[in-house]
Amino acid sequence: AASAPKPLPSSGPKSLREMPHPLATSSSEEMGPALTPSPDLLLPRSIADKDLSLPNGTPVDTSSPASSSSLLNRLQLDDDLDVETRDLFVTVDDPKKHVCTMETYITYRVTTKTTRAEFDLPEYSVRRRYQDFDWLRNKLEESQPTHLIPPLPEKFVVKGVVDRFSEEFVETRRKALDKFLKRITDHPVLSFNDHFNVFLTAKDLNAYKKQGMALLSKMGESVKYVTGGYKLRSRPLEFAAIGDYLDTFSLKLGTIDRIAQRIIKEQLEYLVELREYGPVYSTWGGLEVELSEPLEGVSACIGNCCTALEELSEDMTEDFLPVLREYILYAESMKNVLKKRDQVQAEYEAKLEAVALKREDRPKVPADVEKCQDRVECFNADLKADMERWQNNKRQDFRQLLMGMADKNIQYYEKVCVT
């Protein structure tokens, strides 16, 4: 006989733990020990610790049980990992502008080098536009719903950028698209996705898109139905803690992003004033021969300040803000995966309650309940592994970002300091 599905921890008027299992017999001797939640759903000790403070940014320990995928995650995130052990490299470069009758757009060269058996050739080079990257992300979300899909840069022009075909904007987007593909390449599951393979190798991606449209519409209809109106009792504590952390993280990053944009705006306004201010001293020096030397010195100093401030503003615009925006979008992506996990848990709870209400003396094994339980456990394991992976990436990225910005500010003040 198949093993009985394990209920999830929940709260409410009547806990699922207290409900008689549909496969249990009426005899108390045959019923055995009380049902317990899956080991994968137990709260880690670090989350249960009273000293844990999510609002101050302390990362949540969401490590999953040892498995081949989680061990591979840890290996790929190790700073000492030998690059030679990797077997897939993808880069995005060489943006080109295309002017057509109906539209104007930018394409990017996507170069792939690999030794994987799934690829027919060791190297590929294709051109892709933004909507192709968007197609890839949508396909990954549909085919890998239990995993965190890296975010894409915003489709529309960001604040302060008027021309989306300007060199600055195109370069900023190229860097973001390159990072998007590298995130997927480093993932032990997403990097083996068939749609990713097609994206990297197909010369005519539009032909492939048309072939998959009919199947896509059918899959979309099947995904829409999940719980039939059943409301989730509550998230397990560790996933509730992740949700709280993501809310706080998004709020703090949003505040930092707004302040940083305001600082850049004020720096640019100050830069305009400085550029008008410096030449005044040069003109004055031409009229006052006795004061020409100190006046020219002041003018040169203001010129140095202009150059240093312009470099600092460019660094914040090109390096600092994009990382903030990426992780704001990353947090939203993680929240969406959490919602999908909640939907699957709600479906499992609904099915378990329905079977319990229709309980017979010797009912048949409810295969659909067991399948739904497997989906919940798969969601839990994948989500925890991706959360651990995301936390590691976040710590590395922000360490590099903040230390880099500190160095840039030190260099700025060294340049403008009068000795």
Side-chain angles (χ1 to χ4, degrees), residues 54 235 238-248 335 338 387:
L54 289 174
R235 283 176 176 167
E238 64 178 312
F239 295 112
I242 292 175
D244 293 340
Y245 172 78
L246 292 173
D247 290 338
T248 303
K335 290 179 185 179
L338 266 178
M387 183 65 182

Side-chain angles (χ1 to χ4, degrees), residues 208-326:
Y208 184 83
K209 291 180 182 178
K210 294 177 181 178
Q211 293 176 0
M213 286 182 65
L215 177 61
L216 174 62
S217 60
K218 293 179 181 179
M219 290 179 59
E221 292 298 324
S222 63
V223 171
K224 289 180 181 178
Y225 174 77
V226 180
T227 61
Y230 183 90
K231 186 176 181 180
L232 180 68
R233 291 172 179 264
S234 69
R235 283 176 176 167
L237 294 180
E238 64 178 312
F239 295 112
I242 292 175
D244 293 340
Y245 172 78
L246 292 173
D247 290 338
T248 303
F249 179 74
S250 299
L251 180 63
K252 298 301 183 184
L253 272 197
T255 302
I256 294 174
D257 180 65
R258 289 191 298 271
I259 294 174
Q261 291 192 47
R262 187 168 69 246
I263 290 174
I264 293 174
K265 180 176 179 293
E266 293 175 354
Q267 285 177 343
L268 295 177
E269 292 173 351
Y270 178 49
L271 184 59
V272 172
E273 298 292 337
L274 279 181
R275 285 172 176 167
E276 296 178 358
Y277 188 49
V280 174
Y281 287 93
S282 296
T283 305
W284 186 7
L287 300 175
E288 299 279 356
V289 178
E290 295 179 355
L291 297 175
S292 62
E293 184 176 350
L295 289 174
E296 288 294 338
V298 173
S299 179
C301 179
I302 294 175
N304 290 335
C305 291
C306 288
T307 302
L309 183 59
E310 185 176 11
E311 292 175 354
L312 182 63
S313 299
E314 289 178 355
D315 290 332
M316 288 191 67
T317 302
E318 298 175 6
D319 298 329
F320 189 74
L321 290 182
V323 175
L324 294 182
R325 293 195 184 100
E326 181 195 13

Side-chain angles (χ1 to χ4, degrees), residues 30-141:
E30 296 178 358
M31 188 170 294
L35 294 172
T36 58
S38 169
D40 291 344
L41 303 181
L42 294 179
L43 184 65
R45 183 177 301 174
S46 62
I47 294 180
D49 190 352
K50 295 181 180 179
D51 294 333
L52 178 64
S53 180
L54 289 174
N56 67 4
T58 303
V60 180
D61 181 5
T62 55
S63 57
S64 57
S67 64
S68 58
S69 62
S70 62
L71 290 176
L72 183 56
N73 287 347
R74 294 187 180 92
L75 282 175
Q76 290 188 336
L77 290 171
D78 190 347
D79 293 336
D80 298 329
L81 177 64
D82 187 356
V83 177
E84 294 181 358
T85 61
R86 299 180 58 183
D87 56 4
L88 181 62
F89 299 87
V90 180
T91 58
V92 178
D93 60 8
D94 189 27
K96 287 186 178 180
K97 184 177 180 180
H98 300 261
V99 180
C100 303
T101 305
M102 300 298 295
E103 62 176 339
T104 301
Y105 58 93
I106 303 292
T107 63
Y108 304 85
R109 180 175 62 188
V110 179
T111 304
T112 305
K113 296 182 179 180
T114 182
T115 57
R116 290 186 180 181
E118 292 80 9
F119 293 84
D120 296 330
L121 300 174
E123 185 172 348
Y124 296 86
S125 180
V126 296
R127 298 203 70 85
R128 298 286 183 255
R129 55 188 298 186
Y130 180 88
Q131 67 180 24
D132 298 329
F133 288 85
D134 189 49
W135 170 86
L136 171 62
R137 190 179 190 282
N138 290 333
K139 297 299 289 185
L140 290 176
E141 279 193 330

